[in-house]
Amino acid sequence: MGSWMQVMLLAALLLPAFVESKIHHYKFSVVMKNTTKLCQTKPIVTVNGKFPGPTLYAREDDIVIVRVTNHVSYNVTIHWHGVRQLRTGWSDGPAYVTQCPIQPGQDYIYNFTLTGQRGTLLWHAHISWLRATMHGAIVILPKRGVPYPFPKPDKEKIIIFAEWWKADVEAVVNQYTQTGMAPNISDAHTINGHPGPVPNCSSKGYTLHVDSGKTYLLRIINAALNDELFFKIAGHNLTVVEVDASYTKPFQTDTIFIGPGQTTNALLTADKDTGKYLITISPFMDTTVAVNNLTAFAFLRYKGTPAFPPTTLTSTPPINATAITTKFINSLRSLNSEQYPAKVPITIDHSLFFTIAVGVNPCATCANGSRVVADVNNVTFIMPTTALLQAHYYNISGVFTDDFPANPPIPFNYTGNPPSNLATNNGTKLYRVSYNSTVQVVIQGTSLIAPENHPTHLHGFNFFQVGKGVGNFDPTKDPKSFNLVDPVERNTIGVPTGGWTAIRFRADNPGVWFFHCHLEVHTTWGLKMPFLVENGEGPNESILPPPKDLPKC
């Protein structure tokens, strides 16, 4: 009897820990916080007073519950970037797409399961430009007892990149709204909240402390609004093992290329002499678009390094180093192992061709009588005032139409001489697909105003990048070279400057799912559209009912 009682007592002691490991509760308090960067202090919108914000930790298949309370004067939402949100679109977060925003003084509980995912993702605000300072990491560990498919690191470090404006970021957006011109670029890049030394302002910057002989898993996140970035550590190579919470075939590189919204896990072995090594993040831009060209500096420092050592330096890639980005992207392949197969759709139900472009529309209240806009298939998306998912779920008419064009309405030489008419159509149009259908989207960049690399994000799904190229997509020739065996699996992908990218996914998640450029300036201009995925058969293939505390518009 004694031993039986001991077993029961032990079980009782273990039960809370077991339950806690499956359900993770977080409280996000959205508050203003006076913060000093670049030798200037300004109030910024934060979660729990932190920049970057708190990290969410969970394991594959765990439940995450986050109560977000809004204590600022702005409407807010949070998007859990890359989380599949299977049937839980109400927790996805983009304002006026899956929910109305959380108004000042209100709160909302996000409740989702990390089904079949492990790796690094990020969370960020998804309304206006608040994600400039409202963002943080999501760390999804493998299930207990399941090893990484690469050598186990000794330690893990989170590295988050962002942009910093001296001005109030919402004022930057308002300036664009009033003038119709491109908003001002940021004044600095940051690494874990620190810009490092910049002209006319000294700053110690972030230091990555390491022990000789140890291996570190760097969880690298680009939370910048508008800049694609290169990441380097002087004298050290990195082994890429995962992107966007999907394992990859490992490969070595001295330069990581990462766009806004993307994540990269890389192994760093501290195998150099004791000392201090420079870390840099610098921008990539291979066209004539204004960009913040300042490099942010941090330092890797070995334990036992003397107080004031010389710094081992590194060179940053040229800002227009297309060859480096191409080499990095071409090296990415799905692990495609027995345990982690690449389930690439082979037959396609919906074959879509989306042109993405910048245009100019009339604007009576703007300084020059016109406004810079962006579009997909010549449709500049207009945000509704009722959330699209609610309109779909409750059959509310007049909020959207489901006639988003599958192809450009007027074909032209997309990467050649642009047409003279730069006007676009405005609309709140969705593209409807049936449950479990397969979708291929060829995303075609254009030369309208300026060709540019577009990191493009799809909510609610991972997709496979089966092909890419420079120039115009050739529907007869190019599919013959598609990789249908081990293409990289992501949630955010770059469309090359003056080129195209082809992605495939299975529409196995009912709801309304945003598809947009993750350069915030282009999202603001209207380079976005939603997919409407219908319910399948029965409750397990249907979106869950909305929660009782869903915010109202």
Side-chain angles (χ1 to χ4, degrees):
M1 180 66 73
S3 62
W4 178 82
M5 288 294 292
Q6 287 176 329
V7 169
M8 292 299 292
L9 180 60
L10 181 63
L13 290 171
L14 289 175
L15 186 59
F18 172 76
V19 171
E20 187 61 32
S21 73
K22 302 293 285 186
I23 304 176
H24 305 266
H25 293 269
Y26 288 91
K27 291 183 179 179
F28 275 21
S29 186
V30 182
V31 294
M32 302 301 295
K33 174 80 171 180
N34 281 336
T35 306
T36 303
K37 309 282 178 201
L38 309 181
C39 295
Q40 292 186 6
T41 301
K42 69 170 185 175
I44 62 172
V45 184
T46 68
V47 169
N48 298 352
K50 296 180 179 180
F51 171 75
T55 299
L56 296 188
Y57 287 94
R59 291 188 180 274
E60 178 182 348
D61 291 346
D62 282 359
I63 296 169
V64 177
I65 298 173
V66 187
R67 177 184 289 273
V68 178
T69 306
N70 184 5
H71 294 290
V72 301
S73 60
Y74 302 107
N75 288 342
V76 301
T77 70
I78 303 283
H79 170 50
W80 318 95
H81 183 113
V83 173
R84 285 291 317 274
Q85 297 290 359
L86 288 167
R87 302 171 54 232
T88 54
W90 309 108
S91 287
D92 191 42
Y96 303 106
V97 178
T98 59
Q99 66 167 99
C100 300
I102 307 167
Q103 298 177 28
Q106 302 296 310
D107 60 10
Y108 178 48
I109 295 174
Y110 292 92
N111 186 336
F112 52 89
T113 302
L114 298 165
T115 305
Q117 292 187 275
R118 79 296 301 167
T120 304
L121 296 171
L122 70 153
W123 59 264
H124 59 77
H126 210 302
I127 184 169
S128 191
W129 282 29
L130 293 183
R131 74 177 176 91
T133 54
M134 281 181 67
H135 59 251
I138 303 175
V139 173
I140 311 171
L141 300 170
K143 296 177 185 177
R144 291 192 185 277
V146 177
Y148 292 125
F150 47 81
K152 184 181 179 183
D154 298 295
K155 295 182 179 179
E156 302 186 3
K157 301 281 188 178
I158 296 169
I159 310 286
I160 302 179
F161 309 148
E163 291 179 85
W164 185 267
W165 279 260
K166 292 179 181 177
D168 177 76
V169 179
E170 291 304 289
V172 173
V173 184
N174 291 337
Q175 180 188 26
Y176 152 73
T177 304
Q178 292 168 6
T179 64
M181 304 300 289
N184 292 338
I185 59 173
S186 58
D187 297 293
H189 297 107
T190 60
I191 302 174
N192 283 353
H194 301 278
V198 296
N200 304 317
C201 181
S202 62
S203 167
K204 289 189 296 185
Y206 169 72
T207 298
L208 174 63
H209 295 279
V210 298
D211 293 341
S212 292
K214 301 287 189 185
T215 297
Y216 295 80
L217 181 67
L218 303 185
R219 298 180 177 272
I220 305 164
I221 297 168
N222 186 350
L225 265 70
N226 297 314
D227 290 350
E228 299 176 294
L229 297 166
F230 295 115
F231 171 70
K232 292 187 73 175
I233 303 176
H236 293 73
N237 279 334
L238 298 162
T239 302
V240 174
V241 293
E242 178 238 298
V243 293
D244 292 4
S246 296
Y247 292 134
T248 63
K249 290 182 171 67
F251 70 94
Q252 272 204 351
T253 181
D254 67 350
T255 305
I256 300 283
F257 171 62
I258 185 167
Q262 291 183 329
T263 64
T264 301
N265 278 10
L267 295 172
L268 163 72
T269 300
D271 56 1
K272 296 296 182 282
D273 293 335
T274 298
K276 183 179 177 184
Y277 296 80
L278 190 67
I279 299 174
T280 61
I281 61 169
S282 60
F284 167 68
M285 176 56 70
D286 61 352
T287 187
T288 56
V289 173
V291 67
N292 173 358
N293 63 4
L294 282 179
T295 298
F297 299 104
F299 303 95
L300 181 148
R301 190 183 186 105
Y302 280 78
K303 185 177 181 181
T305 297
F308 299 103
T311 301
T312 301
L313 303 179
T314 186
S315 59
T316 57
I319 191 169
N320 61 348
T322 308
I324 294 178
T325 67
T326 301
K327 180 181 177 183
F328 183 86
I329 293 166
N330 288 348
S331 300
L332 292 169
R333 291 282 187 272
S334 287
L335 187 58
N336 194 26
S337 65
E338 186 175 342
Q339 188 172 4
Y340 304 104
K343 298 179 180 177
V344 186
I346 303 301
T347 58
I348 298 299
D349 300 314
H350 298 266
S351 186
L352 311 178
F353 185 72
F354 285 179
T355 56
I356 52 178
V358 176
V360 179
N361 281 350
C363 173
T365 60
C366 296
N368 297 332
S370 62
R371 178 190 303 283
V372 179
V373 295
D375 64 90
V376 183
N377 279 355
N378 208 47
V379 177
T380 295
F381 189 81
I382 302 301
M383 278 295 193
T385 54
T386 299
L388 296 171
L389 186 58
Q390 289 173 272
H392 166 56
Y393 188 86
Y394 291 111
N395 291 315
I396 303 171
S397 61
V399 178
F400 66 84
T401 59
D402 62 359
D403 57 347
F404 188 88
N407 295 280
I410 303 174
F412 61 97
N413 182 0
Y414 307 112
T415 56
N417 292 327
S420 56
N421 182 8
L422 298 178
T424 70
N425 297 315
N426 295 331
T428 308
K429 298 173 182 288
L430 282 63
Y431 187 87
R432 184 184 293 267
V433 298
S434 56
Y435 180 83
N436 217 34
S437 60
T438 54
V439 183
Q440 175 177 291
V441 187
V442 175
I443 315 163
Q444 174 72 61
T446 64
S447 58
L448 295 174
I449 298 186
E452 188 174 348
N453 191 301
H454 296 269
T456 307
H457 174 49
L458 175 61
H459 291 227
F461 300 93
N462 283 354
F463 52 74
F464 293 96
Q465 181 192 31
V466 295
K468 68 181 182 66
V470 176
N472 295 339
F473 174 73
D474 185 327
T476 302
K477 181 185 72 173
D478 288 324
K480 293 176 182 177
S481 61
F482 280 1
N483 177 5
L484 304 180
V485 177
D486 62 350
V488 68
E489 184 177 357
R490 306 206 72 148
N491 62 60
T492 305
I493 200 73
V495 180
T497 300
W500 56 271
T501 291
I503 65 171
R504 291 185 178 188
F505 66 96
R506 180 175 294 278
D508 58 359
N509 194 7
V512 176
W513 304 107
F514 218 16
F515 177 78
H516 62 95
C517 181
H518 216 267
L519 301 177
E520 201 63 40
V521 59
H522 290 169
T523 303
T524 303
W525 289 352
L527 207 168
K528 49 197 174 186
M529 59 77 65
F531 285 96
L532 193 164
V533 181
E534 297 173 328
N535 285 337
E537 296 182 6
N540 291 335
E541 295 181 358
S542 301
I543 190 167
L544 292 167
K548 290 185 172 59
D549 65 339
L550 189 69
K552 294 179 172 58
C553 289

